[in-house]
Amino acid sequence: MKITAIRFAKLKVPLVTPFKTALREVSFIEDLVVIIETDKGEIGYGAAASTPVITGDTHQSILSVIKQFIAPKLLGMEIENLNQICQVIQSSVVANYSAKAALELAVYDLWGKLYQAPLYKLLGGGSQTLRTDITISVDNIDKMLSDCALAVAQGFDILKVKIGNDLQQDIERVKAIYQDFGQKTHIRLDVNQGWNAKQTVFALQKLESLNVELELVEQPVKSDDFKGLKYITERVNTPIMADESAFSPKQVIQLLEQNVVDIINIKVMKTGGLSRAIEIANITAQYQAQCMIGCMLEGSIAVAGAAHLASAKAQQISKIDLDGPALGQYDPVQGGVEFNGPAITLSDGPGLGINSIDTLQPINDGVWPL
Ligand SMILES: C[C@H](N)C(=O)N[C@@H](CCC(=O)O)C(=O)O
Ligand SMILES: [Mg+2]
């Protein structure tokens, strides 16, 4: 099965409530969809989110990097040579991880179709169902409490609470949420780089002294502040997780070797797809460190890839933050992953298991080669 062409489209889904973090605020899930065509008539689906404040990637940059630097090298390649294709994708250009992720996802989808098996089975096998947390956007306390109540009513028992835009208010937000929901849910915090090291130690020691039990705190400080992360990890009992600091296998080795953090958040938009995500999951196992599989605010095409990986790598990946599609008003993708509250069910169809996609908006000049 040979690669013959690549098509591009956009997919836009309105959110139930605006997604607000210390880094950005958005009201839609917007994916660039990549469709790889083959000489056998099979197509593979991949997608990428635009998160310039985290990856530096936009839909425009993803599209031009694929067309200009990566696609020309993929034309004619055999899907059965999966590792070779991933190597070409990874080495065609530096960085641009979201572009690489979208392509790798589509190639893995085709690999599953070639062997007529769901991806999670080809990757080693695992459970067909997973449980995700849900994100509570940073907002005023009343809004955050009502979002938590809604999430709990929908069956979620792990809340990923976004904070990081004002230290004192953040402490009050966490205290209020813990008071109302701390007994019935696990609470994770994601600061999205909003504090500095001293502020983090102050806030977490304060919360610990009040017996506020947090499952983990994600990326409290700037992504390049490894010294700050280590300073925090050495001074608090709450587990510290790296997100924006952990893109590459090399960074993950440094983070774990030097005891900079306790936990790693793997996202395919940061690793450049599944091949390096697998590599990182294996590295965390070597260090006997826990890891999470996460997502950007992205729809269910890319999340399906991450979910198949999480199923097959359940020994390494113990925490799941794949709630992107659950935050949308609807899911235009049929097959793939199905959400029912916190439960994610993987399709048993081949590859990612996607059957069809509604409301795809083709992009002008969105076919390669023209
Ligand atoms: C959506 C997911 N739960 C999440 O919070 N992901 C990111 C932020 C993604 C974005 O801004 O698109 C994270 O920081 O973990
Ligand atoms: Mg995060």
Side-chain angles (χ1 to χ4, degrees), residues 24 135 160 162 190 192 218 243 267 295 297 321 323:
R24 69 185 193 132
T135 304
K160 166 157 161 161
K162 295 285 188 182
D190 191 354
N192 281 115
E218 184 171 340
D243 180 8
K267 292 180 186 159
C295 61
L297 182 66
D321 171 36
D323 62 339

Side-chain angles (χ1 to χ4, degrees), residues 15 77 116 159 256 312 359:
L15 295 174
M77 288 194 82
Q116 281 299 301
L159 306 176
L256 297 178
T359 65

Side-chain angles (χ1 to χ4, degrees), residues 125-145:
S127 170
Q128 213 180 335
T129 57
L130 307 167
R131 275 179 89 79
T132 182
D133 61 11
I134 188 151
T135 304
I136 305 299
S137 284
V138 61
D139 217 309
N140 64 59
I141 292 180
D142 286 346
K143 167 74 170 138
M144 291 180 84
L145 290 176

Side-chain angles (χ1 to χ4, degrees), residues 143-195:
K143 167 74 170 138
M144 291 180 84
L145 290 176
S146 69
D147 286 349
C148 290
L150 192 63
V152 170
Q154 290 168 341
F156 289 94
D157 55 8
I158 310 176
L159 306 176
K160 166 157 161 161
V161 178
K162 295 285 188 182
I163 50 171
N165 59 7
D166 181 297
L167 188 72
Q168 279 311 325
Q169 276 186 42
D170 287 337
I171 295 171
E172 295 310 314
R173 287 173 172 123
V174 178
K175 277 164 56 183
I177 291 172
Y178 187 76
Q179 188 177 327
D180 286 10
F181 299 97
Q183 299 310 311
K184 39 189 174 231
T185 65
H186 295 281
I187 296 175
R188 307 173 168 166
L189 301 183
D190 191 354
V191 190
N192 281 115
Q193 311 179 56
W195 297 340

